[in-house]
Amino acid sequence: MRRILIAGGGYAGFYTAWKLEKWLRRDEAEVTIVDPRPYMTYQPFLPEVTAGSVEGRHVAVSLRRHLRKTAVVAGTVTRIDHAQKTATVRPADGPERRIQYDIVVVTAGAVTRTFPIPGIAEHAIGLKHVEEAVAVRDRLLSAFERASVLPPGHERRRLLTVTVVGGGFTGVEVFGELLSLASALLKSYPELHFSDLDFHLVEAQGRILPEVTDKPGQWVVDHLEERGAHVHLNTQLVSAENGHIVLSTGEAYDTELLIWTAGNASNPVVATHTDLPIDARGLLRVRADLRVGTDDAIVPDAWGAGDNAAVPDLAVPVPGARTVPNAQHAVRQGKRLARNLVADLRGEVPQPYVHHSLGVVATLGLGHGIFQYRGIVIKGFLGWVIHRGYHVLAVPTWERKVRVLLVWLTAVVFGRDIVSLLSVQRPRDAFLAALPSPHKRDESGGPRDLPLAG
Protein backbone atom coordinates (compact mmCIF):
# COMPACT_ATOMS: atom_id res chain seq x y z
CA MET A 1 0.00 0.00 0.00
CA ARG A 2 1.54 3.30 -1.11
CA ARG A 3 0.87 6.22 1.23
CA ILE A 4 -0.30 9.34 -0.64
CA LEU A 5 -0.30 12.63 1.25
CA ILE A 6 -2.25 15.59 -0.17
CA ALA A 7 -1.14 18.90 1.38
CA GLY A 8 -4.14 21.24 1.01
CA GLY A 9 -7.86 20.66 0.58
CA GLY A 10 -8.76 23.46 -1.85
CA TYR A 11 -9.95 22.93 -5.42
CA ALA A 12 -6.95 20.98 -6.66
CA GLY A 13 -6.51 18.97 -3.47
CA PHE A 14 -10.18 18.11 -3.08
CA TYR A 15 -10.60 17.04 -6.70
CA THR A 16 -7.40 15.00 -6.59
CA ALA A 17 -8.61 13.08 -3.52
CA TRP A 18 -12.17 12.79 -4.87
CA LYS A 19 -11.02 11.26 -8.15
CA LEU A 20 -8.39 9.04 -6.51
CA GLU A 21 -11.19 7.48 -4.47
CA LYS A 22 -12.96 6.68 -7.71
CA TRP A 23 -10.01 5.39 -9.74
CA LEU A 24 -7.70 3.70 -7.22
CA ARG A 25 -8.12 0.03 -6.47
CA ARG A 26 -8.52 -0.88 -2.82
CA ASP A 27 -5.06 -2.40 -2.45
CA GLU A 28 -3.15 0.25 -4.44
CA ALA A 29 -2.80 3.15 -2.02
CA GLU A 30 -4.13 4.89 1.05
CA VAL A 31 -4.79 8.61 0.81
CA THR A 32 -4.50 11.28 3.51
CA ILE A 33 -5.48 14.92 3.03
CA VAL A 34 -4.37 17.70 5.39
CA ASP A 35 -6.14 21.05 5.65
CA PRO A 36 -6.91 23.38 8.57
CA ARG A 37 -10.53 23.72 7.44
CA PRO A 38 -12.92 20.76 7.29
CA TYR A 39 -14.25 21.85 3.91
CA MET A 40 -13.34 23.01 0.42
CA THR A 41 -14.56 26.52 -0.36
CA TYR A 42 -16.07 27.18 -3.77
CA GLN A 43 -14.59 30.67 -4.00
CA PRO A 44 -16.42 31.94 -7.12
CA PHE A 45 -19.62 32.05 -5.03
CA LEU A 46 -18.11 34.16 -2.21
CA PRO A 47 -19.18 37.49 -3.78
CA GLU A 48 -22.76 36.18 -3.89
CA VAL A 49 -22.45 35.12 -0.25
CA THR A 50 -21.58 38.72 0.64
CA ALA A 51 -24.80 39.83 -1.07
CA GLY A 52 -26.97 37.12 0.50
CA SER A 53 -27.69 35.49 -2.87
CA VAL A 54 -26.05 32.24 -1.74
CA GLU A 55 -26.05 30.77 1.76
CA GLY A 56 -22.55 30.65 3.23
CA ARG A 57 -22.70 26.96 4.19
CA HIS A 58 -23.68 26.02 0.64
CA VAL A 59 -20.31 27.07 -0.82
CA ALA A 60 -18.43 24.91 1.68
CA VAL A 61 -18.06 21.30 0.55
CA SER A 62 -17.41 19.00 3.51
CA LEU A 63 -14.24 16.95 3.14
CA ARG A 64 -15.37 14.18 5.49
CA ARG A 65 -18.78 13.84 3.90
CA HIS A 66 -17.55 13.54 0.34
CA LEU A 67 -14.15 11.88 0.87
CA ARG A 68 -15.31 8.67 2.50
CA LYS A 69 -12.17 6.64 1.72
CA THR A 70 -9.65 9.37 2.52
CA ALA A 71 -8.14 10.08 5.94
CA VAL A 72 -8.79 13.73 6.76
CA VAL A 73 -6.35 15.46 9.11
CA ALA A 74 -7.41 18.84 10.53
CA GLY A 75 -4.18 20.78 10.55
CA THR A 76 -1.69 22.85 8.60
CA VAL A 77 1.32 21.47 6.79
CA THR A 78 4.20 23.63 8.01
CA ARG A 79 7.08 21.84 6.31
CA ILE A 80 7.68 19.23 3.63
CA ASP A 81 10.97 17.35 3.80
CA HIS A 82 10.83 15.31 0.63
CA ALA A 83 14.32 13.90 1.07
CA GLN A 84 12.99 12.10 4.16
CA LYS A 85 9.45 11.86 2.75
CA THR A 86 8.07 13.53 5.84
CA ALA A 87 5.55 16.35 6.32
CA THR A 88 5.29 18.32 9.53
CA VAL A 89 1.69 19.06 10.48
CA ARG A 90 0.44 21.53 13.06
CA PRO A 91 -3.01 20.35 14.21
CA ALA A 92 -5.70 22.63 15.61
CA ASP A 93 -4.93 21.26 19.08
CA GLY A 94 -1.93 19.47 20.47
CA PRO A 95 1.72 19.34 19.44
CA GLU A 96 3.06 19.17 15.91
CA ARG A 97 3.28 15.73 14.35
CA ARG A 98 5.12 14.20 11.43
CA ILE A 99 3.41 12.21 8.72
CA GLN A 100 5.43 9.77 6.64
CA TYR A 101 4.43 9.36 3.02
CA ASP A 102 5.50 7.61 -0.16
CA ILE A 103 3.98 10.15 -2.56
CA VAL A 104 3.23 13.80 -1.85
CA VAL A 105 0.73 16.00 -3.70
CA VAL A 106 1.25 19.70 -2.97
CA THR A 107 -1.99 21.65 -3.45
CA ALA A 108 -1.66 24.15 -0.62
CA GLY A 109 -2.96 27.05 -2.71
CA ALA A 110 -1.92 30.68 -2.50
CA VAL A 111 -2.34 33.26 0.24
CA THR A 112 -3.63 36.82 0.04
CA ARG A 113 -1.02 39.28 -1.17
CA THR A 114 -0.65 42.17 1.28
CA PHE A 115 1.53 45.26 1.60
CA PRO A 116 2.77 47.15 4.68
CA ILE A 117 0.08 49.82 4.43
CA PRO A 118 -0.89 51.49 7.73
CA GLY A 119 -4.31 50.39 8.93
CA ILE A 120 -5.05 47.38 6.73
CA ALA A 121 -4.06 44.85 9.40
CA GLU A 122 -6.55 46.45 11.80
CA HIS A 123 -9.45 47.17 9.45
CA ALA A 124 -9.33 45.16 6.20
CA ILE A 125 -11.18 41.92 5.49
CA GLY A 126 -10.01 39.48 2.83
CA LEU A 127 -12.23 37.34 0.62
CA LYS A 128 -10.78 33.85 0.36
CA HIS A 129 -12.95 32.05 2.91
CA VAL A 130 -16.61 31.68 3.79
CA GLU A 131 -16.14 33.33 7.18
CA GLU A 132 -14.87 36.49 5.53
CA ALA A 133 -17.76 36.66 3.05
CA VAL A 134 -20.35 36.19 5.79
CA ALA A 135 -18.65 38.85 7.94
CA VAL A 136 -18.69 41.34 5.04
CA ARG A 137 -22.41 40.78 4.50
CA ASP A 138 -23.29 41.09 8.18
CA ARG A 139 -21.21 44.24 8.61
CA LEU A 140 -22.91 45.95 5.69
CA LEU A 141 -26.38 45.01 6.97
CA SER A 142 -25.48 46.18 10.48
CA ALA A 143 -24.13 49.44 9.06
CA PHE A 144 -27.54 50.11 7.49
CA GLU A 145 -29.25 49.53 10.85
CA ARG A 146 -26.89 51.92 12.61
CA ALA A 147 -27.06 54.55 9.87
CA SER A 148 -30.87 54.52 9.79
CA VAL A 149 -31.09 56.16 13.24
CA LEU A 150 -28.55 58.88 12.48
CA PRO A 151 -29.25 62.28 10.91
CA PRO A 152 -27.72 63.04 7.51
CA GLY A 153 -24.06 63.87 7.86
CA HIS A 154 -20.54 62.52 8.05
CA GLU A 155 -21.17 59.60 10.41
CA ARG A 156 -24.10 58.27 8.40
CA ARG A 157 -22.10 58.50 5.18
CA ARG A 158 -19.09 56.82 6.79
CA LEU A 159 -21.21 53.84 7.82
CA LEU A 160 -22.48 53.47 4.28
CA THR A 161 -19.08 53.81 2.63
CA VAL A 162 -17.52 50.65 1.18
CA THR A 163 -13.98 50.39 -0.20
CA VAL A 164 -12.70 47.42 -2.20
CA VAL A 165 -8.98 47.30 -3.00
CA GLY A 166 -8.14 45.18 -6.05
CA GLY A 167 -9.73 45.17 -9.49
CA GLY A 168 -9.38 41.49 -10.33
CA PHE A 169 -12.36 39.18 -10.66
CA THR A 170 -12.89 38.77 -6.92
CA GLY A 171 -12.69 42.50 -6.25
CA VAL A 172 -14.97 43.52 -9.11
CA GLU A 173 -17.53 40.81 -8.32
CA VAL A 174 -17.77 41.55 -4.61
CA PHE A 175 -17.92 45.28 -5.40
CA GLY A 176 -20.78 44.81 -7.86
CA GLU A 177 -22.68 42.44 -5.58
CA LEU A 178 -22.41 44.73 -2.54
CA LEU A 179 -23.46 47.73 -4.62
CA SER A 180 -26.49 45.76 -5.79
CA LEU A 181 -27.33 44.71 -2.23
CA ALA A 182 -26.96 48.24 -0.84
CA SER A 183 -29.15 49.71 -3.58
CA ALA A 184 -31.84 47.11 -2.89
CA LEU A 185 -31.68 47.68 0.88
CA LEU A 186 -32.76 51.30 0.47
CA LYS A 187 -36.33 50.07 -0.14
CA SER A 188 -36.37 48.71 3.41
CA TYR A 189 -34.80 51.84 4.93
CA PRO A 190 -36.91 54.88 4.02
CA GLU A 191 -34.73 56.99 6.33
CA LEU A 192 -31.79 56.53 3.97
CA HIS A 193 -31.21 57.76 0.44
CA PHE A 194 -29.06 56.69 -2.49
CA SER A 195 -26.91 59.79 -2.00
CA ASP A 196 -25.86 58.36 1.40
CA LEU A 197 -24.08 55.45 -0.32
CA ASP A 198 -20.42 55.83 -1.21
CA PHE A 199 -18.72 52.90 -2.99
CA HIS A 200 -15.05 52.97 -4.04
CA LEU A 201 -13.10 50.40 -6.09
CA VAL A 202 -9.34 51.03 -5.98
CA GLU A 203 -7.04 49.44 -8.59
CA ALA A 204 -3.31 50.11 -8.97
CA GLN A 205 -3.29 49.30 -12.69
CA GLY A 206 -4.91 51.25 -15.50
CA ARG A 207 -7.68 48.67 -16.04
CA ILE A 208 -9.74 46.08 -14.19
CA LEU A 209 -10.51 42.42 -14.96
CA PRO A 210 -7.14 41.56 -16.56
CA GLU A 211 -8.49 38.37 -18.18
CA VAL A 212 -10.97 40.24 -20.38
CA THR A 213 -9.94 42.47 -23.27
CA ASP A 214 -9.74 46.26 -23.01
CA LYS A 215 -13.13 47.21 -24.42
CA PRO A 216 -15.25 44.91 -22.20
CA GLY A 217 -13.11 45.94 -19.23
CA GLN A 218 -13.87 49.60 -19.89
CA TRP A 219 -17.56 48.74 -20.24
CA VAL A 220 -17.50 47.29 -16.73
CA VAL A 221 -15.95 50.51 -15.37
CA ASP A 222 -18.57 52.64 -17.14
CA HIS A 223 -21.37 50.32 -15.97
CA LEU A 224 -20.32 50.53 -12.31
CA GLU A 225 -19.96 54.32 -12.46
CA GLU A 226 -23.41 54.63 -14.04
CA ARG A 227 -24.73 52.83 -10.96
CA GLY A 228 -23.18 55.49 -8.73
CA ALA A 229 -19.85 53.88 -7.85
CA HIS A 230 -16.36 55.41 -7.94
CA VAL A 231 -13.69 53.42 -9.79
CA HIS A 232 -10.14 54.63 -9.08
CA LEU A 233 -7.68 53.37 -11.72
CA ASN A 234 -3.91 53.88 -11.53
CA THR A 235 -4.48 54.47 -7.83
CA GLN A 236 -2.96 52.92 -4.72
CA LEU A 237 -4.11 52.80 -1.13
CA VAL A 238 -1.66 54.82 0.98
CA SER A 239 -3.24 54.52 4.43
CA ALA A 240 -6.32 53.15 6.16
CA GLU A 241 -5.57 54.09 9.75
CA ASN A 242 -8.71 54.35 11.91
CA GLY A 243 -10.82 53.70 8.83
CA HIS A 244 -9.58 56.91 7.19
CA ILE A 245 -8.72 56.11 3.57
CA VAL A 246 -5.93 58.03 1.86
CA LEU A 247 -5.32 57.33 -1.83
CA SER A 248 -2.23 58.03 -3.90
CA THR A 249 -4.23 60.62 -5.86
CA GLY A 250 -4.60 62.66 -2.67
CA GLU A 251 -8.27 61.83 -2.21
CA ALA A 252 -9.27 60.99 1.38
CA TYR A 253 -12.47 59.81 3.04
CA ASP A 254 -13.69 57.62 5.91
CA THR A 255 -14.98 54.09 5.35
CA GLU A 256 -16.79 51.55 7.50
CA LEU A 257 -16.02 48.52 5.35
CA LEU A 258 -12.60 47.86 3.78
CA ILE A 259 -12.25 44.70 1.65
CA TRP A 260 -8.81 43.61 0.45
CA THR A 261 -8.67 41.57 -2.79
CA ALA A 262 -5.32 42.70 -4.20
CA GLY A 263 -4.22 39.37 -5.64
CA ASN A 264 -2.35 36.28 -4.48
CA ALA A 265 1.07 35.64 -3.01
CA SER A 266 3.02 32.40 -2.91
CA ASN A 267 2.23 30.05 -0.05
CA PRO A 268 5.05 30.35 2.53
CA VAL A 269 5.09 26.59 3.09
CA VAL A 270 5.93 26.07 -0.58
CA ALA A 271 8.13 29.15 -0.93
CA THR A 272 10.37 28.68 2.11
CA HIS A 273 9.55 25.48 4.01
CA THR A 274 10.27 22.67 1.60
CA ASP A 275 13.21 21.12 -0.21
CA LEU A 276 11.14 20.76 -3.38
CA PRO A 277 12.24 23.02 -6.28
CA ILE A 278 10.55 26.40 -6.55
CA ASP A 279 10.79 29.25 -9.06
CA ALA A 280 11.65 32.93 -8.53
CA ARG A 281 8.04 33.71 -7.54
CA GLY A 282 7.99 31.08 -4.81
CA LEU A 283 5.85 28.65 -6.82
CA LEU A 284 6.43 24.93 -7.06
CA ARG A 285 8.20 23.92 -10.28
CA VAL A 286 6.05 21.35 -12.06
CA ARG A 287 6.07 19.79 -15.49
CA ALA A 288 3.17 19.75 -17.89
CA ASP A 289 2.17 16.32 -16.53
CA LEU A 290 2.03 17.87 -13.02
CA ARG A 291 5.02 15.97 -11.66
CA VAL A 292 7.40 18.18 -9.70
CA GLY A 293 10.57 19.02 -11.60
CA THR A 294 11.59 20.23 -15.04
CA ASP A 295 11.55 18.75 -18.52
CA ASP A 296 15.06 17.45 -17.89
CA ALA A 297 14.74 16.26 -14.31
CA ILE A 298 11.76 14.77 -12.45
CA VAL A 299 11.52 14.75 -8.67
CA PRO A 300 10.25 11.24 -7.96
CA ASP A 301 7.01 10.78 -6.00
CA ALA A 302 6.15 14.50 -5.90
CA TRP A 303 3.24 16.18 -7.66
CA GLY A 304 1.77 19.67 -7.61
CA ALA A 305 -1.19 21.66 -8.95
CA GLY A 306 -3.33 24.70 -8.27
CA ASP A 307 -2.35 28.19 -7.23
CA ASN A 308 0.88 27.11 -5.50
CA ALA A 309 2.31 25.57 -8.68
CA ALA A 310 3.81 27.06 -11.85
CA VAL A 311 1.93 24.84 -14.31
CA PRO A 312 2.95 25.20 -17.99
CA ASP A 313 0.05 26.39 -20.15
CA LEU A 314 0.21 24.27 -23.29
CA ALA A 315 -3.03 25.76 -24.62
CA VAL A 316 -1.41 29.08 -25.52
CA PRO A 317 1.35 29.58 -28.12
CA VAL A 318 3.51 31.78 -25.86
CA PRO A 319 6.72 29.98 -24.79
CA GLY A 320 7.05 29.65 -21.03
CA ALA A 321 3.43 30.62 -20.36
CA ARG A 322 1.91 29.47 -17.07
CA THR A 323 -1.73 28.77 -16.30
CA VAL A 324 -3.50 31.60 -14.48
CA PRO A 325 -4.46 30.93 -10.86
CA ASN A 326 -8.21 30.42 -11.09
CA ALA A 327 -10.81 27.78 -10.27
CA GLN A 328 -11.24 26.73 -13.89
CA HIS A 329 -7.64 25.49 -14.01
CA ALA A 330 -7.36 24.21 -10.42
CA VAL A 331 -10.36 21.90 -10.76
CA ARG A 332 -9.15 20.39 -14.02
CA GLN A 333 -5.57 20.12 -12.79
CA GLY A 334 -6.81 18.16 -9.79
CA LYS A 335 -8.62 15.71 -12.05
CA ARG A 336 -5.63 15.34 -14.40
CA LEU A 337 -3.25 14.91 -11.46
CA ALA A 338 -5.37 12.07 -10.07
CA ARG A 339 -5.44 10.33 -13.46
CA ASN A 340 -1.71 10.75 -13.90
CA LEU A 341 -0.89 9.56 -10.39
CA VAL A 342 -2.94 6.39 -10.91
CA ALA A 343 -1.30 5.87 -14.28
CA ASP A 344 2.15 6.26 -12.72
CA LEU A 345 1.34 3.73 -10.00
CA ARG A 346 0.38 1.24 -12.70
CA GLY A 347 3.49 1.81 -14.80
CA GLU A 348 1.72 3.88 -17.44
CA VAL A 349 2.82 7.22 -18.89
CA PRO A 350 1.25 10.38 -17.33
CA GLN A 351 -0.36 12.74 -19.83
CA PRO A 352 0.24 16.52 -20.01
CA TYR A 353 -2.33 18.94 -18.66
CA VAL A 354 -3.93 20.92 -21.50
CA HIS A 355 -7.03 23.03 -21.04
CA HIS A 356 -8.40 25.56 -23.51
CA SER A 357 -10.23 28.34 -21.70
CA LEU A 358 -14.02 28.16 -21.67
CA GLY A 359 -14.12 31.94 -21.48
CA VAL A 360 -14.39 34.29 -18.52
CA VAL A 361 -17.54 35.29 -16.70
CA ALA A 362 -18.21 37.73 -13.88
CA THR A 363 -21.21 38.85 -11.87
CA LEU A 364 -21.63 42.59 -11.32
CA GLY A 365 -24.61 42.28 -9.00
CA LEU A 366 -28.12 40.86 -9.26
CA GLY A 367 -29.14 40.94 -12.93
CA HIS A 368 -25.79 42.35 -14.10
CA GLY A 369 -22.89 40.37 -15.55
CA ILE A 370 -20.40 39.93 -18.35
CA PHE A 371 -19.18 36.90 -20.32
CA GLN A 372 -16.37 36.78 -22.86
CA TYR A 373 -15.21 33.89 -25.00
CA ARG A 374 -12.55 35.01 -27.44
CA GLY A 375 -14.27 37.70 -29.53
CA ILE A 376 -17.75 36.99 -28.19
CA VAL A 377 -18.87 39.37 -25.43
CA ILE A 378 -22.26 39.14 -23.69
CA LYS A 379 -23.16 41.86 -21.20
CA GLY A 380 -25.98 42.69 -18.85
CA PHE A 381 -28.74 40.30 -17.79
CA LEU A 382 -27.77 37.48 -20.17
CA GLY A 383 -24.15 37.68 -19.01
CA TRP A 384 -25.38 37.33 -15.43
CA VAL A 385 -27.51 34.28 -16.36
CA ILE A 386 -24.47 32.65 -17.99
CA HIS A 387 -22.45 33.33 -14.82
CA ARG A 388 -25.01 31.62 -12.62
CA GLY A 389 -25.51 28.75 -15.04
CA TYR A 390 -21.80 28.03 -15.36
CA HIS A 391 -21.07 28.11 -11.64
CA VAL A 392 -24.03 26.02 -10.54
CA LEU A 393 -22.76 23.37 -12.94
CA ALA A 394 -19.17 23.78 -11.74
CA VAL A 395 -19.77 23.65 -7.96
CA PRO A 396 -18.92 20.08 -6.90
CA THR A 397 -21.49 17.48 -5.79
CA TRP A 398 -25.17 17.35 -6.65
CA GLU A 399 -26.04 18.07 -3.05
CA ARG A 400 -24.44 21.52 -3.25
CA LYS A 401 -25.91 22.25 -6.69
CA VAL A 402 -29.42 21.57 -5.42
CA ARG A 403 -28.96 23.65 -2.26
CA VAL A 404 -27.71 26.65 -4.24
CA LEU A 405 -30.55 26.37 -6.76
CA LEU A 406 -33.15 26.21 -3.98
CA VAL A 407 -31.79 29.39 -2.39
CA TRP A 408 -31.95 31.18 -5.74
CA LEU A 409 -35.52 30.02 -6.36
CA THR A 410 -36.56 31.13 -2.87
CA ALA A 411 -35.03 34.56 -3.48
CA VAL A 412 -37.06 34.93 -6.69
CA VAL A 413 -40.28 34.48 -4.69
CA PHE A 414 -39.45 36.17 -1.38
CA GLY A 415 -36.46 38.42 -2.17
CA ARG A 416 -33.15 38.64 -0.34
CA ASP A 417 -32.77 37.74 3.31
CA ILE A 418 -31.62 40.98 4.94
CA VAL A 419 -31.12 39.79 8.53
CA SER A 420 -27.68 40.52 9.94
CA LEU A 421 -26.15 37.91 12.25
CA LEU A 422 -23.10 39.95 13.14
CA SER A 423 -23.68 39.13 16.81
CA VAL A 424 -22.73 35.49 16.21
CA GLN A 425 -19.11 36.65 16.15
CA ARG A 426 -19.55 37.47 19.85
CA PRO A 427 -21.97 34.77 20.99
CA ARG A 428 -21.45 35.24 24.75
CA ASP A 429 -22.24 38.97 24.92
CA ALA A 430 -25.93 38.49 25.72
CA PHE A 431 -25.15 35.87 28.35
CA LEU A 432 -22.47 38.02 30.01
CA ALA A 433 -24.81 41.02 30.05
CA ALA A 434 -27.37 39.00 32.01
CA LEU A 435 -24.90 37.93 34.71
CA PRO A 436 -24.71 39.77 38.07
CA SER A 437 -22.02 42.41 38.09
CA PRO A 438 -19.34 40.33 39.93
CA HIS A 439 -19.36 37.90 37.01
CA LYS A 440 -18.98 40.52 34.29
CA ARG A 441 -15.72 41.26 32.59
CA ASP A 442 -13.47 44.06 33.75
CA GLU A 443 -12.09 46.76 31.48
CA SER A 444 -9.12 44.60 30.53
CA GLY A 445 -11.43 42.07 28.90
CA GLY A 446 -10.72 39.27 31.42
CA PRO A 447 -13.26 37.77 33.82
CA ARG A 448 -13.47 39.46 37.19
CA ASP A 449 -12.49 37.51 40.30
CA LEU A 450 -15.48 35.94 41.99
CA PRO A 451 -15.93 36.20 45.78
CA LEU A 452 -15.15 32.99 47.66
CA ALA A 453 -18.08 31.28 49.36
CA GLY A 454 -18.30 31.76 53.11
Side-chain angles (χ1 to χ4, degrees):
M1 293 281 284
R2 304 295 299 278
R3 296 167 298 178
I4 301 173
L5 176 66
I6 301 175
Y11 296 116
F14 173 81
Y15 273 91
T16 298
W18 204 24
K19 296 305 179 181
L20 284 176
E21 289 194 350
K22 179 179 179 180
W23 296 324
L24 280 173
R25 292 192 290 263
R26 248 181 221 188
D27 59 346
E28 279 189 301
E30 58 184 25
V31 182
T32 299
I33 190 168
V34 181
D35 197 273
R37 287 177 169 78
Y39 54 82
M40 184 275 280
T41 302
Y42 189 72
Q43 292 180 345
F45 273 150
L46 291 183
E48 293 204 52
V49 172
T50 65
S53 299
V54 175
E55 170 61 38
R57 290 181 183 273
H58 297 170
V59 305
V61 180
S62 170
L63 298 181
R64 294 184 183 274
R65 179 169 183 173
H66 297 287
L67 300 178
R68 300 294 180 88
K69 302 175 185 177
T70 301
V72 178
V73 176
T76 302
V77 175
T78 59
R79 182 167 185 80
I80 298 173
D81 185 356
H82 193 61
Q84 302 298 321
K85 291 195 173 180
T86 301
T88 304
V89 177
R90 182 190 301 125
D93 295 292
E96 287 190 340
R97 55 184 286 201
R98 292 185 177 182
I99 297 180
Q100 295 286 334
Y101 62 80
D102 297 305
I103 299 170
V104 67
V105 176
V106 184
T107 52
V111 298
T112 301
R113 180 178 61 179
T114 58
F115 301 97
I117 299 172
I120 66 167
E122 294 78 14
H123 300 287
I125 303 177
L127 202 68
K128 275 189 171 292
H129 303 291
V130 177
E131 302 92 330
E132 295 170 319
V134 172
V136 166
R137 175 181 180 271
D138 287 342
R139 290 191 182 193
L140 181 63
L141 293 175
S142 295
F144 267 77
E145 289 291 336
R146 294 163 59 192
S148 67
V149 298
L150 294 176
H154 175 266
E155 184 60 16
R156 177 195 275 191
R157 190 169 182 82
R158 182 191 69 80
L159 286 169
L160 300 180
T161 298
V162 174
T163 302
V164 176
V165 180
F169 271 87
T170 300
V172 170
E173 288 190 320
V174 71
F175 188 76
E177 287 287 350
L178 290 178
L179 180 59
S180 176
L181 172 61
S183 301
L185 283 174
L186 293 173
K187 299 176 183 177
S188 301
Y189 291 88
E191 308 90 346
L192 304 176
H193 307 285
F194 187 81
S195 58
D196 294 319
L197 303 181
D198 198 14
F199 276 66
H200 298 263
L201 177 62
V202 181
E203 169 54 44
Q205 303 300 317
R207 52 165 298 173
I208 61 175
L209 298 178
E211 292 179 46
V212 304
T213 52
D214 291 343
K215 193 173 180 180
Q218 185 58 48
W219 176 86
V220 174
V221 172
D222 296 339
H223 172 78
L224 292 173
E225 291 182 337
E226 286 172 5
R227 290 164 58 188
H230 306 281
V231 180
H232 307 269
L233 300 178
N234 295 310
T235 304
Q236 296 178 346
L237 178 65
V238 175
S239 174
E241 288 187 291
N242 301 316
H244 182 68
I245 300 297
V246 179
L247 303 179
S248 58
T249 57
E251 185 175 353
Y253 59 90
D254 292 329
T255 191
E256 170 67 10
L257 192 55
L258 174 60
I259 304 167
W260 184 270
T261 63
N264 295 327
S266 59
N267 193 305
V269 173
V270 176
T272 59
H273 293 79
T274 179
D275 55 354
L276 294 170
I278 60 171
D279 67 7
R281 297 175 297 166
L283 301 178
L284 192 67
R285 290 186 182 274
V286 300
R287 297 155 42 95
D289 59 11
L290 304 178
R291 286 183 286 186
V292 175
T294 64
D295 291 339
D296 301 322
I298 299 173
V299 177
D301 301 322
W303 303 74
D307 293 355
N308 65 192
V311 180
D313 193 347
L314 303 184
V316 300
V318 181
R322 298 290 182 261
T323 58
V324 296
N326 61 22
Q328 190 176 140
H329 281 296
V331 168
R332 288 163 179 81
Q333 287 170 14
K335 294 178 181 179
R336 171 47 58 191
L337 195 158
R339 285 189 182 276
N340 283 354
L341 203 162
V342 172
D344 189 57
L345 287 173
R346 296 173 184 171
E348 301 169 6
V349 178
Q351 298 300 308
Y353 169 77
V354 183
H355 172 65
H356 295 273
S357 174
L358 301 175
V360 293
V361 61
T363 176
L364 304 174
L366 193 63
H368 307 279
I370 184 169
F371 166 78
Q372 181 175 13
Y373 176 71
R374 297 181 180 177
I376 302 172
V377 179
I378 300 175
K379 300 175 286 190
F381 180 78
L382 185 55
W384 173 77
V385 171
I386 293 173
H387 172 273
R388 284 205 162 182
Y390 171 78
H391 284 299
V392 80
L393 291 174
V395 67
T397 79
W398 279 103
E399 172 239 350
R400 280 299 183 255
K401 297 179 197 295
V402 171
R403 289 182 187 274
V404 170
L405 280 171
L406 289 176
V407 171
W408 283 344
L409 292 173
T410 303
V412 170
V413 178
F414 300 106
R416 301 174 190 261
D417 189 337
I418 62 171
V419 176
S420 170
L421 296 178
L422 187 62
S423 58
V424 301
Q425 297 177 40
R426 299 176 61 90
R428 298 185 67 243
D429 281 1
F431 175 74
L432 292 173
L435 290 175
S437 56
H439 297 266
K440 294 182 179 178
R441 293 177 176 268
D442 60 22
E443 292 181 356
S444 67
R448 292 180 177 177
D449 293 333
L450 303 182
L452 297 176

